[in-house]
Amino acid sequence: MATAGLHDSELGELQRRLIILRVGLLLVVALLALRLWHLQIREGPYYRDLSENNRTRSVIMEPARGLIYDRNGVLLANNVPSFTLYVSLEDVKNRELLIEQLTNLLGLDEALVRKKLTARGSKQLPRKVKDRLSLREATLIESHRLDLPGVMVQVESQRNYPGGVTASHLLGYVGEVSPEQLEKPEFADLHQGSIVGQYGVEKFFDRLVRGQAGQKSIEVDALGHEKRTVVVEQAHAGDNLYLTIDVRLQKVAESLLGEESGAIVALDPRTGDVLAMASRPGFDPNVLSRELTPKQWAEIVQNEGRPLNNRASQGQYPPGSVFKVMMAAAALESNTVTPSTTIHCNGGYQFGRRLYHDWKAGGHGSVDLRRALIQSCDVYFYTVGQRMGIETMASFAHMFGLGEETGIELPSERIGIVPSSAWKQKAKNEPWLPGETISASIGQGYVNVTPLQMASLIGTVANDGVTFRPRLVRAVMDRATGALEERPAVPKRTLKLRPEILPLIKEALAGVVTEGTATRAKSALVTIAGKTGTAQTTALGKDKKAEKDIPKKFRDHAWFVAFAPVDAPTIAVAVLGEHMGHGGSASAPLAKVLIETYVKLNLPAPAAVPDGAVAREADAGGQETR
Amino acid sequence: MIDRVINSRGFDNFDFRFIGLIFVILGVGVLSIYSVTHDQGVAFPFYAKQIVWIVLGTVAFLVMWLSDYHRIARLAYPAYAIILVLLAVVLFEGKSSRGAQRWIPMGPFAFQPSEFAKLVLIVTLAHYYSKAPRVGWLQRVVLPGLLVLPGLLLILKQPDLGSGLSFLAVYAAMLLMVGMRSKALGVILLFSLMLFPFAWEMMWGSLHDYQRQRIMAFVDPAYDPGGKGYHALQSRIAIGAGELTGKGLYGGTQSQLKFLPEGHTDFVFSVFAEEWGFIGVLALLILFVTLIWLSLEIVARAKDQLGALLAVGIICMLCFCVVVNIGMTAGMFPIVGIPLPLMSYGGSATIMTMASLGLLLNVKRRRLSFF
């Protein structure tokens, strides 16, 4: 090449300049190595964490809640599949935009969505935003998948109550665990969006019924496609409950109250089994188990009928003359009277300057204890009460389980009031007045009881003094093993009365129905014994008007407690009708229908011994579960 | 007759270290491509295609190695003209992919002229400088600059920022090595600095939105982690998560689960780094450095200026690609689409790189032939 020689010096120059390239190369590579060392060694663990989070999403697997059956295996609460909307905050780039999208797309309440997405809690766990999406809503979400990063629709089981309003107070309802609940230790293993029982059996037995959530770790690729699922922890379904109630009896009890407010409790006095427990007005637990807007919730809570109040265990009312059953036993046991002691009733009892009226204007004449019960003579019990004094009265009332919890397995049972001088001092900071003893002796004044306590009380009488703790759940089935654990009847206490006392009272109570204040409870089907009660709500006593002229809310509460059959009682009933007037006219007929229903239901297949019954139901229940 | 002699000498000088290095790096590349794409379930997966490219590349390598580089250099201007035409064709007829028009479809394959343009430019500039008189910097700087300009503009228009920058790098390296006087170098540097704001303004203005966003994302990767910073962030996570010893072959979750886009092409290094860790990365760097060091030896012993310039151009291009690619995956530079030589998947790039290396060895082969 001609030019080769010409450029020889330049070649040399070029080759000398190679040193620049060599040094430059080493410098740059050293810089790269340093950078890589920084990334991989110094910050390696940090990036490894990031890469783990990049690929895995934790998903809670909600456990299936345990099923709830009645005593005959009729399903009262089950689960149905439904769509739930979750948002994985990690994948949400623009929260405001998402809130807007969800609000527009599904017509959700903006404040609600915002609350869900901004609530405190783990960022790693998806947030539950809405449950029970309709198919349309779920489809809408799915069709907008690409515009909604981090939004997931999952199929979950939702609590369902096939009976609707039936036994609603007893069953209760479920709802999302509240932030306040989450703070408590018993909810420590839960998370935002967890469903817990908020009322009734659902709440009381929540631990058993709830089950245990599982967790899976889903490995997702960059497009959010599931690649691999690692189950970290299996979910465990909750236990099944077999209640003691008979849903047929329950429905009758509820229909008997109809539109009225009130409560009906039916127990098996031999075991304490709750056969029916009605409280009206009721509510639909299906509605309450859904997420409610604050407005909907306010409507329910502020409803004057207070539908969320379980009147059977939480309603407190003066017992009125029903109290006389306890008084009679107390009078005999404390030797205040003998069965043959007679007291003359001329329609009023003078104490100091005040005349205490009998409900019967002309009086009952001369009555012994038996007649006093049958006719519900007030003057007799005024006298007895005055003689025994408030302290004796209170101690016997406590013996009958008043002023304390029956121990029923429901949340927030109320205990009523058994007044005494000590109680008054403490509650009102005032001394006890002698006249107050007179009101108390016919179950007025400060005395307050719940219908459940009354049912338990009459059941105790029926069961010859042995009180059982009211039992709602007969058996629990472990869903993992299928093992059925029977829950025994728990005797609570035995009345310490002379043996002749209770038979005498029972005989008198039978008379109440055959010839006394409760003849409207007389049944051709079964012998019934009972006691009426008319509890004054306000001091309207003196100028008696005709019942229908008094505004409803000032009318008396109508009580009736009963047991049947008289010679071998298998059912004890307490009926309370709020502002329904006289126990004999308003409540006694209801008790009669209920008892007759009970007898009819049990006639074809006579009540089996409890053990056998549970075993039989278990089989039936087991099949349904499978 | 004399060709025979040369050829036999060529085999005498067959540099097994050099060839060995090339194929080791190629192998590592195929392995990494296989790792990311083996589960795609297509009949003809990327790694298999890459092997085909390597075979074709080997042919190109042999052709370039065994020809006379003087003869090749004589084809430079016509070749450059053809490349310019092809680049123009790309603009009008090319196949678009991810917002850029860089390919000319050829049956099931696509041909990327900008890759070959790099090699053609090197040959063209080397040819020009080996002939150019040594006087004046009109001949030294401006004329070759004018030579570079049309290709550069056509490439930037696609847009292919990576290839465009390679073009500039090759031009700059040539300038540096061709014996530019220090004084002239200083003037150019000063002039460039003065012009930089205007140039930046012009460049920023001519950039596509996504390019601007990438640069923004480079300045602050958290600026939009799901968007334009996504590549950068995911790549850094992949590399960092490799730690010292790596997650093992197929163990790279970033790449396996497709968090890392382009794992087989521009981000193949991230895949490798995640799977093999810092130890693997160091080893790979050493392989590249050794390869380049051996290449520099070739320059040092080149017998004429054309050979030296060819070798320098090729080395600078390779260096530039390696450094910029690794630098961008490691978050040191903005993301410009530059493949990692010998490792990234891609027919045009693989064939071009191997042809370049063939030409480089050609220079060495001719070292001892005096004629």
Side-chain angles (χ1 to χ4, degrees), chain A residues 443-473:
Chain A
Q444 292 290 158
Y446 297 117
V447 188
N448 256 332
V449 298
T450 67
L452 180 63
Q453 286 174 328
M454 289 295 95
S456 178
L457 181 143
I458 199 66
T460 303
V461 173
N463 201 39
D464 299 323
V466 180
T467 314
F468 279 86
R469 193 178 75 194
R471 182 168 63 152
L472 261 179
V473 174

PDB file of all heavy atoms in Angstrom, chain A residues 443-473:
ATOM      1  N   GLY A 443     -94.344  -7.535  93.226  1.00  0.00           N
ATOM      2  CA  GLY A 443     -93.527  -7.439  92.013  1.00  0.00           C
ATOM      3  C   GLY A 443     -93.622  -6.081  91.332  1.00  0.00           C
ATOM      4  O   GLY A 443     -93.450  -5.973  90.119  1.00  0.00           O
ATOM      5  N   GLN A 444     -93.879  -5.043  92.104  1.00  0.00           N
ATOM      6  CA  GLN A 444     -93.890  -3.700  91.523  1.00  0.00           C
ATOM      7  C   GLN A 444     -92.750  -2.907  92.150  1.00  0.00           C
ATOM      8  O   GLN A 444     -91.854  -3.487  92.777  1.00  0.00           O
ATOM      9  CB  GLN A 444     -95.232  -3.026  91.799  1.00  0.00           C
ATOM     10  CG  GLN A 444     -96.405  -3.648  91.059  1.00  0.00           C
ATOM     11  CD  GLN A 444     -96.382  -3.394  89.555  1.00  0.00           C
ATOM     12  OE1 GLN A 444     -96.994  -4.136  88.799  1.00  0.00           O
ATOM     13  NE2 GLN A 444     -95.665  -2.370  89.114  1.00  0.00           N
ATOM     14  N   GLY A 445     -92.807  -1.592  92.005  1.00  0.00           N
ATOM     15  CA  GLY A 445     -91.749  -0.778  92.585  1.00  0.00           C
ATOM     16  C   GLY A 445     -90.442  -0.993  91.840  1.00  0.00           C
ATOM     17  O   GLY A 445     -90.402  -0.926  90.621  1.00  0.00           O
ATOM     18  N   TYR A 446     -89.422  -1.300  92.617  1.00  0.00           N
ATOM     19  CA  TYR A 446     -88.093  -1.411  91.993  1.00  0.00           C
ATOM     20  C   TYR A 446     -87.832  -2.759  91.337  1.00  0.00           C
ATOM     21  O   TYR A 446     -86.864  -2.923  90.625  1.00  0.00           O
ATOM     22  CB  TYR A 446     -87.000  -1.170  93.046  1.00  0.00           C
ATOM     23  CG  TYR A 446     -87.034   0.215  93.645  1.00  0.00           C
ATOM     24  CD1 TYR A 446     -87.275   0.405  94.996  1.00  0.00           C
ATOM     25  CD2 TYR A 446     -86.810   1.336  92.837  1.00  0.00           C
ATOM     26  CE1 TYR A 446     -87.292   1.669  95.547  1.00  0.00           C
ATOM     27  CE2 TYR A 446     -86.838   2.612  93.385  1.00  0.00           C
ATOM     28  CZ  TYR A 446     -87.079   2.784  94.736  1.00  0.00           C
ATOM     29  OH  TYR A 446     -87.102   4.012  95.275  1.00  0.00           O
ATOM     30  N   VAL A 447     -88.709  -3.723  91.635  1.00  0.00           N
ATOM     31  CA  VAL A 447     -88.404  -5.083  91.153  1.00  0.00           C
ATOM     32  C   VAL A 447     -88.405  -5.120  89.632  1.00  0.00           C
ATOM     33  O   VAL A 447     -89.316  -4.623  88.986  1.00  0.00           O
ATOM     34  CB  VAL A 447     -89.435  -6.104  91.681  1.00  0.00           C
ATOM     35  CG1 VAL A 447     -88.984  -7.525  91.327  1.00  0.00           C
ATOM     36  CG2 VAL A 447     -89.617  -5.959  93.172  1.00  0.00           C
ATOM     37  N   ASN A 448     -87.353  -5.687  89.086  1.00  0.00           N
ATOM     38  CA  ASN A 448     -87.230  -5.829  87.635  1.00  0.00           C
ATOM     39  C   ASN A 448     -86.705  -7.216  87.311  1.00  0.00           C
ATOM     40  O   ASN A 448     -85.774  -7.696  87.958  1.00  0.00           O
ATOM     41  CB  ASN A 448     -86.245  -4.798  87.081  1.00  0.00           C
ATOM     42  CG  ASN A 448     -86.977  -3.651  86.388  1.00  0.00           C
ATOM     43  OD1 ASN A 448     -88.079  -3.836  85.875  1.00  0.00           O
ATOM     44  ND2 ASN A 448     -86.359  -2.483  86.378  1.00  0.00           N
ATOM     45  N   VAL A 449     -87.317  -7.825  86.292  1.00  0.00           N
ATOM     46  CA  VAL A 449     -86.864  -9.158  85.897  1.00  0.00           C
ATOM     47  C   VAL A 449     -86.845  -9.235  84.382  1.00  0.00           C
ATOM     48  O   VAL A 449     -87.433  -8.397  83.698  1.00  0.00           O
ATOM     49  CB  VAL A 449     -87.809 -10.253  86.431  1.00  0.00           C
ATOM     50  CG1 VAL A 449     -87.848 -10.251  87.953  1.00  0.00           C
ATOM     51  CG2 VAL A 449     -89.205 -10.083  85.855  1.00  0.00           C
ATOM     52  N   THR A 450     -86.186 -10.252  83.886  1.00  0.00           N
ATOM     53  CA  THR A 450     -86.244 -10.506  82.446  1.00  0.00           C
ATOM     54  C   THR A 450     -87.200 -11.675  82.215  1.00  0.00           C
ATOM     55  O   THR A 450     -87.356 -12.521  83.101  1.00  0.00           O
ATOM     56  CB  THR A 450     -84.865 -10.884  81.882  1.00  0.00           C
ATOM     57  OG1 THR A 450     -84.491 -12.155  82.410  1.00  0.00           O
ATOM     58  CG2 THR A 450     -83.810  -9.851  82.238  1.00  0.00           C
ATOM     59  N   PRO A 451     -87.806 -11.747  81.046  1.00  0.00           N
ATOM     60  CA  PRO A 451     -88.673 -12.890  80.738  1.00  0.00           C
ATOM     61  C   PRO A 451     -87.945 -14.231  80.907  1.00  0.00           C
ATOM     62  O   PRO A 451     -88.538 -15.211  81.352  1.00  0.00           O
ATOM     63  CB  PRO A 451     -89.065 -12.641  79.284  1.00  0.00           C
ATOM     64  CG  PRO A 451     -89.031 -11.155  79.152  1.00  0.00           C
ATOM     65  CD  PRO A 451     -87.867 -10.714  80.006  1.00  0.00           C
ATOM     66  N   LEU A 452     -86.662 -14.234  80.571  1.00  0.00           N
ATOM     67  CA  LEU A 452     -85.899 -15.470  80.717  1.00  0.00           C
ATOM     68  C   LEU A 452     -85.827 -15.898  82.176  1.00  0.00           C
ATOM     69  O   LEU A 452     -85.958 -17.091  82.500  1.00  0.00           O
ATOM     70  CB  LEU A 452     -84.495 -15.254  80.144  1.00  0.00           C
ATOM     71  CG  LEU A 452     -83.560 -16.451  80.212  1.00  0.00           C
ATOM     72  CD1 LEU A 452     -84.100 -17.607  79.375  1.00  0.00           C
ATOM     73  CD2 LEU A 452     -82.166 -16.070  79.742  1.00  0.00           C
ATOM     74  N   GLN A 453     -85.620 -14.918  83.050  1.00  0.00           N
ATOM     75  CA  GLN A 453     -85.582 -15.245  84.485  1.00  0.00           C
ATOM     76  C   GLN A 453     -86.922 -15.810  84.937  1.00  0.00           C
ATOM     77  O   GLN A 453     -86.978 -16.741  85.740  1.00  0.00           O
ATOM     78  CB  GLN A 453     -85.243 -13.986  85.297  1.00  0.00           C
ATOM     79  CG  GLN A 453     -83.791 -13.565  85.208  1.00  0.00           C
ATOM     80  CD  GLN A 453     -83.535 -12.230  85.908  1.00  0.00           C
ATOM     81  OE1 GLN A 453     -84.410 -11.361  85.949  1.00  0.00           O
ATOM     82  NE2 GLN A 453     -82.332 -12.078  86.447  1.00  0.00           N
ATOM     83  N   MET A 454     -87.985 -15.259  84.409  1.00  0.00           N
ATOM     84  CA  MET A 454     -89.303 -15.747  84.782  1.00  0.00           C
ATOM     85  C   MET A 454     -89.542 -17.170  84.288  1.00  0.00           C
ATOM     86  O   MET A 454     -90.128 -18.002  84.978  1.00  0.00           O
ATOM     87  CB  MET A 454     -90.380 -14.816  84.224  1.00  0.00           C
ATOM     88  CG  MET A 454     -90.452 -13.465  84.922  1.00  0.00           C
ATOM     89  SD  MET A 454     -90.954 -13.562  86.656  1.00  0.00           S
ATOM     90  CE  MET A 454     -89.368 -13.573  87.474  1.00  0.00           C
ATOM     91  N   ALA A 455     -89.094 -17.445  83.068  1.00  0.00           N
ATOM     92  CA  ALA A 455     -89.234 -18.803  82.542  1.00  0.00           C
ATOM     93  C   ALA A 455     -88.428 -19.771  83.387  1.00  0.00           C
ATOM     94  O   ALA A 455     -88.865 -20.890  83.694  1.00  0.00           O
ATOM     95  CB  ALA A 455     -88.770 -18.850  81.086  1.00  0.00           C
ATOM     96  N   SER A 456     -87.240 -19.316  83.778  1.00  0.00           N
ATOM     97  CA  SER A 456     -86.386 -20.162  84.598  1.00  0.00           C
ATOM     98  C   SER A 456     -87.027 -20.398  85.968  1.00  0.00           C
ATOM     99  O   SER A 456     -86.989 -21.502  86.512  1.00  0.00           O
ATOM    100  CB  SER A 456     -85.026 -19.488  84.735  1.00  0.00           C
ATOM    101  OG  SER A 456     -84.178 -20.240  85.564  1.00  0.00           O
ATOM    102  N   LEU A 457     -87.634 -19.332  86.491  1.00  0.00           N
ATOM    103  CA  LEU A 457     -88.260 -19.430  87.806  1.00  0.00           C
ATOM    104  C   LEU A 457     -89.420 -20.425  87.787  1.00  0.00           C
ATOM    105  O   LEU A 457     -89.503 -21.320  88.632  1.00  0.00           O
ATOM    106  CB  LEU A 457     -88.756 -18.041  88.233  1.00  0.00           C
ATOM    107  CG  LEU A 457     -89.432 -17.909  89.599  1.00  0.00           C
ATOM    108  CD1 LEU A 457     -89.042 -16.573  90.232  1.00  0.00           C
ATOM    109  CD2 LEU A 457     -90.945 -18.001  89.509  1.00  0.00           C
ATOM    110  N   ILE A 458     -90.274 -20.299  86.797  1.00  0.00           N
ATOM    111  CA  ILE A 458     -91.427 -21.202  86.765  1.00  0.00           C
ATOM    112  C   ILE A 458     -90.965 -22.629  86.445  1.00  0.00           C
ATOM    113  O   ILE A 458     -91.534 -23.612  86.916  1.00  0.00           O
ATOM    114  CB  ILE A 458     -92.511 -20.704  85.774  1.00  0.00           C
ATOM    115  CG1 ILE A 458     -93.861 -21.368  86.078  1.00  0.00           C
ATOM    116  CG2 ILE A 458     -92.124 -20.921  84.334  1.00  0.00           C
ATOM    117  CD1 ILE A 458     -94.449 -20.977  87.421  1.00  0.00           C
ATOM    118  N   GLY A 459     -89.876 -22.709  85.663  1.00  0.00           N
ATOM    119  CA  GLY A 459     -89.301 -24.026  85.373  1.00  0.00           C
ATOM    120  C   GLY A 459     -88.765 -24.672  86.642  1.00  0.00           C
ATOM    121  O   GLY A 459     -88.878 -25.885  86.843  1.00  0.00           O
ATOM    122  N   THR A 460     -88.177 -23.883  87.491  1.00  0.00           N
ATOM    123  CA  THR A 460     -87.656 -24.396  88.763  1.00  0.00           C
ATOM    124  C   THR A 460     -88.779 -24.971  89.613  1.00  0.00           C
ATOM    125  O   THR A 460     -88.660 -26.047  90.191  1.00  0.00           O
ATOM    126  CB  THR A 460     -86.936 -23.256  89.514  1.00  0.00           C
ATOM    127  OG1 THR A 460     -85.920 -22.731  88.687  1.00  0.00           O
ATOM    128  CG2 THR A 460     -86.338 -23.766  90.805  1.00  0.00           C
ATOM    129  N   VAL A 461     -89.879 -24.224  89.650  1.00  0.00           N
ATOM    130  CA  VAL A 461     -91.047 -24.712  90.396  1.00  0.00           C
ATOM    131  C   VAL A 461     -91.526 -26.033  89.783  1.00  0.00           C
ATOM    132  O   VAL A 461     -91.768 -27.014  90.488  1.00  0.00           O
ATOM    133  CB  VAL A 461     -92.175 -23.653  90.386  1.00  0.00           C
ATOM    134  CG1 VAL A 461     -93.452 -24.215  90.996  1.00  0.00           C
ATOM    135  CG2 VAL A 461     -91.720 -22.406  91.124  1.00  0.00           C
ATOM    136  N   ALA A 462     -91.628 -26.029  88.449  1.00  0.00           N
ATOM    137  CA  ALA A 462     -92.125 -27.214  87.762  1.00  0.00           C
ATOM    138  C   ALA A 462     -91.207 -28.406  88.007  1.00  0.00           C
ATOM    139  O   ALA A 462     -91.652 -29.540  88.129  1.00  0.00           O
ATOM    140  CB  ALA A 462     -92.238 -26.933  86.268  1.00  0.00           C
ATOM    141  N   ASN A 463     -89.935 -28.145  88.096  1.00  0.00           N
ATOM    142  CA  ASN A 463     -88.938 -29.210  88.211  1.00  0.00           C
ATOM    143  C   ASN A 463     -88.602 -29.497  89.667  1.00  0.00           C
ATOM    144  O   ASN A 463     -87.508 -29.948  89.984  1.00  0.00           O
ATOM    145  CB  ASN A 463     -87.677 -28.801  87.444  1.00  0.00           C
ATOM    146  CG  ASN A 463     -86.819 -29.995  87.081  1.00  0.00           C
ATOM    147  OD1 ASN A 463     -87.356 -31.050  86.728  1.00  0.00           O
ATOM    148  ND2 ASN A 463     -85.505 -29.833  87.192  1.00  0.00           N
ATOM    149  N   ASP A 464     -89.531 -29.214  90.524  1.00  0.00           N
ATOM    150  CA  ASP A 464     -89.398 -29.517  91.946  1.00  0.00           C
ATOM    151  C   ASP A 464     -88.166 -28.889  92.577  1.00  0.00           C
ATOM    152  O   ASP A 464     -87.487 -29.513  93.403  1.00  0.00           O
ATOM    153  CB  ASP A 464     -89.398 -31.043  92.177  1.00  0.00           C
ATOM    154  CG  ASP A 464     -90.702 -31.663  91.699  1.00  0.00           C
ATOM    155  OD1 ASP A 464     -91.763 -31.025  91.864  1.00  0.00           O
ATOM    156  OD2 ASP A 464     -90.649 -32.774  91.115  1.00  0.00           O
ATOM    157  N   GLY A 465     -87.862 -27.669  92.158  1.00  0.00           N
ATOM    158  CA  GLY A 465     -86.836 -26.912  92.854  1.00  0.00           C
ATOM    159  C   GLY A 465     -85.450 -26.993  92.246  1.00  0.00           C
ATOM    160  O   GLY A 465     -84.543 -26.310  92.709  1.00  0.00           O
ATOM    161  N   VAL A 466     -85.305 -27.812  91.221  1.00  0.00           N
ATOM    162  CA  VAL A 466     -83.971 -27.897  90.610  1.00  0.00           C
ATOM    163  C   VAL A 466     -83.906 -26.952  89.395  1.00  0.00           C
ATOM    164  O   VAL A 466     -84.692 -27.084  88.461  1.00  0.00           O
ATOM    165  CB  VAL A 466     -83.625 -29.337  90.176  1.00  0.00           C
ATOM    166  CG1 VAL A 466     -82.230 -29.376  89.561  1.00  0.00           C
ATOM    167  CG2 VAL A 466     -83.729 -30.264  91.370  1.00  0.00           C
ATOM    168  N   THR A 467     -82.970 -26.039  89.449  1.00  0.00           N
ATOM    169  CA  THR A 467     -82.812 -25.089  88.345  1.00  0.00           C
ATOM    170  C   THR A 467     -81.676 -25.552  87.439  1.00  0.00           C
ATOM    171  O   THR A 467     -80.600 -25.905  87.922  1.00  0.00           O
ATOM    172  CB  THR A 467     -82.429 -23.695  88.880  1.00  0.00           C
ATOM    173  OG1 THR A 467     -83.290 -23.390  89.980  1.00  0.00           O
ATOM    174  CG2 THR A 467     -82.569 -22.645  87.802  1.00  0.00           C
ATOM    175  N   PHE A 468     -81.948 -25.556  86.158  1.00  0.00           N
ATOM    176  CA  PHE A 468     -80.883 -25.821  85.192  1.00  0.00           C
ATOM    177  C   PHE A 468     -80.493 -24.514  84.513  1.00  0.00           C
ATOM    178  O   PHE A 468     -81.334 -23.639  84.302  1.00  0.00           O
ATOM    179  CB  PHE A 468     -81.348 -26.822  84.129  1.00  0.00           C
ATOM    180  CG  PHE A 468     -81.258 -28.244  84.596  1.00  0.00           C
ATOM    181  CD1 PHE A 468     -82.303 -28.823  85.311  1.00  0.00           C
ATOM    182  CD2 PHE A 468     -80.124 -28.990  84.356  1.00  0.00           C
ATOM    183  CE1 PHE A 468     -82.211 -30.127  85.751  1.00  0.00           C
ATOM    184  CE2 PHE A 468     -80.025 -30.301  84.797  1.00  0.00           C
ATOM    185  CZ  PHE A 468     -81.065 -30.883  85.496  1.00  0.00           C
ATOM    186  N   ARG A 469     -79.240 -24.429  84.211  1.00  0.00           N
ATOM    187  CA  ARG A 469     -78.820 -23.256  83.454  1.00  0.00           C
ATOM    188  C   ARG A 469     -79.436 -23.371  82.069  1.00  0.00           C
ATOM    189  O   ARG A 469     -79.364 -24.435  81.445  1.00  0.00           O
ATOM    190  CB  ARG A 469     -77.298 -23.241  83.325  1.00  0.00           C
ATOM    191  CG  ARG A 469     -76.759 -21.919  82.844  1.00  0.00           C
ATOM    192  CD  ARG A 469     -75.265 -21.931  82.788  1.00  0.00           C
ATOM    193  NE  ARG A 469     -74.807 -22.711  81.637  1.00  0.00           N
ATOM    194  CZ  ARG A 469     -73.556 -23.126  81.480  1.00  0.00           C
ATOM    195  NH1 ARG A 469     -72.657 -22.877  82.407  1.00  0.00           N
ATOM    196  NH2 ARG A 469     -73.215 -23.816  80.412  1.00  0.00           N
ATOM    197  N   PRO A 470     -80.062 -22.297  81.577  1.00  0.00           N
ATOM    198  CA  PRO A 470     -80.661 -22.388  80.240  1.00  0.00           C
ATOM    199  C   PRO A 470     -79.600 -22.784  79.216  1.00  0.00           C
ATOM    200  O   PRO A 470     -78.513 -22.209  79.194  1.00  0.00           O
ATOM    201  CB  PRO A 470     -81.166 -20.971  79.971  1.00  0.00           C
ATOM    202  CG  PRO A 470     -81.303 -20.349  81.307  1.00  0.00           C
ATOM    203  CD  PRO A 470     -80.250 -20.968  82.167  1.00  0.00           C
ATOM    204  N   ARG A 471     -79.946 -23.790  78.430  1.00  0.00           N
ATOM    205  CA  ARG A 471     -78.963 -24.305  77.482  1.00  0.00           C
ATOM    206  C   ARG A 471     -79.442 -24.031  76.065  1.00  0.00           C
ATOM    207  O   ARG A 471     -80.576 -24.344  75.715  1.00  0.00           O
ATOM    208  CB  ARG A 471     -78.794 -25.813  77.701  1.00  0.00           C
ATOM    209  CG  ARG A 471     -77.761 -26.441  76.814  1.00  0.00           C
ATOM    210  CD  ARG A 471     -77.428 -27.845  77.251  1.00  0.00           C
ATOM    211  NE  ARG A 471     -78.577 -28.737  77.163  1.00  0.00           N
ATOM    212  CZ  ARG A 471     -78.478 -30.050  76.953  1.00  0.00           C
ATOM    213  NH1 ARG A 471     -77.296 -30.617  76.834  1.00  0.00           N
ATOM    214  NH2 ARG A 471     -79.549 -30.802  76.895  1.00  0.00           N
ATOM    215  N   LEU A 472     -78.589 -23.471  75.274  1.00  0.00           N
ATOM    216  CA  LEU A 472     -78.947 -23.141  73.888  1.00  0.00           C
ATOM    217  C   LEU A 472     -78.311 -24.088  72.894  1.00  0.00           C
ATOM    218  O   LEU A 472     -78.832 -24.334  71.824  1.00  0.00           O
ATOM    219  CB  LEU A 472     -78.465 -21.723  73.572  1.00  0.00           C
ATOM    220  CG  LEU A 472     -79.488 -20.617  73.653  1.00  0.00           C
ATOM    221  CD1 LEU A 472     -78.821 -19.297  73.336  1.00  0.00           C
ATOM    222  CD2 LEU A 472     -80.628 -20.873  72.685  1.00  0.00           C
ATOM    223  N   VAL A 473     -77.146 -24.585  73.246  1.00  0.00           N
ATOM    224  CA  VAL A 473     -76.415 -25.441  72.320  1.00  0.00           C
ATOM    225  C   VAL A 473     -76.323 -26.826  72.922  1.00  0.00           C
ATOM    226  O   VAL A 473     -75.788 -26.999  74.018  1.00  0.00           O
ATOM    227  CB  VAL A 473     -75.003 -24.876  72.050  1.00  0.00           C
ATOM    228  CG1 VAL A 473     -74.197 -25.837  71.201  1.00  0.00           C
ATOM    229  CG2 VAL A 473     -75.100 -23.521  71.369  1.00  0.00           C
TER     230      VAL A 473
END
